Amino acid sequence: MKSRYSSIRSVIALVLVAIMIGGFGYELFNIQILKHEFYTEQNNNVTTYTVPLEAARGDIVDRNGNVLVTNRQGNSIILDAAYFPSRSDNKQRNEIIHNLLKLFYKYKEEAVNNLPLTLKGGKIAFTDDEEEIEKMKREDVFNLQKYATAQNCFDTMVEMYELENYDINTALKIGAVRYELTTQYFSIENPVTIAENVKNETVAAIKEDKKTYLGADVMPVSYREYTDSTIAPHILGTVRKINGEEYNELKDDGYGINDIIGESGIESAMEKELRGVPGELTITIDSEGNVTEEITKNPIRGNTVMLTIDKDLQRVAQDKLKEICDGVSLTKGAGAVAVQDVNNGEILAAASYPTFDLQDYYDNYEKLAKNKRNPMWNRFALGLYAPGSTFKPLMSCAALEEGIVDEDTVFRCSGLFQYYDVPFRCMDGKIHGYENVRLALRDSCNIFFYNCADALGITKINEYGKMFGLGEKTGVEIPEAAGTFASPAVAEQYGRAWQMGDTIQAGIGQSYHLFTPLQLANYCATIANNGTRYESHFVKAIINSSNKSIDETGINAVEDLPISDKTFTTVKEGMRLVATEQGIRFVFNKIDTPVACKTGTSQVWVNGKKENNGFLITMAPYKNPEIAVASAIELAGSGTETAEITSAIIDYYYSNNTDKTPAQEAGALLD
């Protein structure tokens, strides 16, 4: 019996062992065969991230390929989440940031600080940045009510980032960096910049001590550089870091939260061409925390934008404009000038004064913004002026074409035009006697053009004005004002009823007419070429950064005016007499190129005192015009004041411009 029970126990034991071995075998088979791929992935536990690589911004060059805006290589300091302590380790994060701040202080670097909190009189206070204050209180940042005080915000920050062991000043500085990480969505895919354009010593210190500055790294960055930062600032424009609203709109187009974007001028207008295509850096982190990086897509530089302007002509225009404006008044002098090719609408130069320097634009922004002379205001594109007598060539065209007058029709100027019970006087109270259209242009005889305006009526006057492109945008790529025509509707906007005498005033460029210098240049160019109005433009071509191909923007003829060559010839003859027989001749006789022109003066009220703005439109050469120049000088007294600017531009264009590098060779500068 004993032996039989022993045998049973042995069998049971063997069966149990067999079951166990079978179970282990099945599990081994399950792991190694059936679920091999699953467990391999679990064992490897590799995480991959993609980080965008900045693409260098494209250059901006003038019509001859001379570089106006390019890039220089610099370094920024970033925090990289792949190496930086996790969000839960506040103490180590703060310690590393504190170390970095001490390094920045040593080498006089400026750390990022968008935190809208500051210390005033020993107390925490808000800065003046209301938009940033609102952002700071948002649910995804400090999650505070709108009525939270500056101290409430500071206390929340200290608690959130565990800054209790630091003094107030240090807590604010560390907190500013931590705030940047929060608001810029710091992650492995999105490193955050904490210092820009740093010195080589700072770069070396961070690279040599990875432990003290754990997670900090050096990122090569392209910064905008100007061959002459005072050339054409209102045309070229500025760049800046993208803001939150723009990022939300553009992130689907590949923009990152730290990207640079064109803010104004050509930098903004040609953003898509200049931006380039970002590359990609692939970061891999394995189960043991080892990090590897590989560039999986190289960035592509932005395209080069070639402008229509001539760098040296632009310099002449700017310098002479400054000289004349300062001569009028060192504290109030201001004005603008625009030069256009009459045969294609290309803007060869355009200047506004006072002006600013692109290099220190952001450093001086507050000062520039508070300057009462408005140096950032683009007067040639946005400045609206009553054109004064520069409107009279247009009136001559309208009167001739509508049969109101012919080239021999005369009106007697007695110095006074009685319009019902309202007397209107001629220019400066002069008596010109009998004037035909040519002589009326020469003498700027108001009486002649009062008669024309009365016969034409305001509707017909404005119809011709629109033909010449006045009162509407010229087509340039940068922001510009449309302007307005005098009309009953406009008078109503000013709370006035349209009077019959308003039509008379509109006929000599007064009343509610308001146009830009760019429009006046385009209008003059249209007269010069006998009636083809071209779209004005600053961009001549796009040079592809990959294959150096050149894509010309082309010429756009907006309208061929239904005005006869005979009419244009008569008007230009009258404008020629202005240049040869009026006081302005003493300026134009000094240059070799014959011109035709028309001066203008419009009255403005400044601090309760009546002043005059001066204008001049000019075409050159007279017989076969190639360029048109329009200038406006505020408080100049008369249009004659502007002749010095115009003559300097024309003299340079025809006598001293030896920079004739073909545009097709411009791409070679970028190799």
Side-chain angles (χ1 to χ4, degrees), residues 378-437:
N378 183 348
R379 285 169 166 82
F380 62 76
L382 297 170
L384 290 170
Y385 302 93
S389 294
T390 60
F391 196 70
K392 290 173 180 175
L394 180 152
M395 287 293 296
S396 301
C397 289
L400 287 165
E401 286 297 308
E402 294 300 315
I404 304 300
V405 300
D406 59 31
E407 59 181 313
D408 297 318
T409 300
V410 296
F411 291 114
R412 181 177 176 272
C413 171
S414 63
L416 184 68
F417 182 80
Q418 191 69 33
Y419 192 72
Y420 294 92
D421 59 345
V422 181
F424 291 91
R425 299 190 180 279
C426 198
M427 179 76 68
D428 300 325
K430 292 181 179 179
I431 299 174
H432 295 116
Y434 291 96
E435 299 264 287
N436 61 26
V437 66

Side-chain angles (χ1 to χ4, degrees), residues 393 396-397 400 441 527 567-576:
S396 301
C397 289
L400 287 165
L441 285 168
I527 295 174
T567 290
F568 282 119
T569 298
T570 300
V571 170
K572 283 189 279 190
E573 287 172 352
M575 294 174 70
R576 175 62 177 158

Side-chain angles (χ1 to χ4, degrees), residues 244-262:
E245 183 178 342
E246 290 165 337
Y247 169 68
N248 289 329
E249 291 178 2
L250 297 172
K251 61 185 178 182
D252 291 340
D253 295 331
Y255 280 81
I257 192 67
N258 291 310
D259 280 1
I260 294 297
I261 192 170

Side-chain angles (χ1 to χ4, degrees), residues 482-550:
T484 58
F485 281 109
S487 69
V490 173
E492 186 177 348
Q493 291 174 11
Y494 285 96
R496 285 188 65 246
W498 181 259
Q499 305 294 327
M500 295 182 68
D502 285 329
T503 299
I504 303 302
Q505 288 293 91
I508 61 168
Q510 301 284 354
S511 187
Y512 300 105
H513 288 322
L514 292 173
F515 311 128
T516 68
L518 276 180
Q519 289 175 8
L520 293 177
N522 190 263
Y523 148 58
C524 184
T526 305
I527 295 174
N529 68 36
N530 280 20
T532 301
R533 177 161 65 90
Y534 292 101
E535 183 178 70
S536 303
H537 56 285
F538 281 110
V539 178
K540 185 176 180 65
I542 304 298
I543 303 173
N544 188 285
S545 63
S546 299
N547 57 26
K548 304 298 186 241
S549 63
I550 298 176

Side-chain angles (χ1 to χ4, degrees), residues 444-455:
S444 203
C445 178
N446 286 351
I447 305 301
F448 184 93
F449 292 103
Y450 288 152
N451 281 282
C452 292
D454 186 32

Side-chain angles (χ1 to χ4, degrees), residues 464-489:
Y464 274 85
K466 291 176 182 177
M467 286 185 196
F468 282 98
L470 298 176
E472 63 182 61
K473 296 181 179 182
T474 65
V476 292
E477 296 80 1
I478 64 177
E480 61 174 327
T484 58
F485 281 109
S487 69

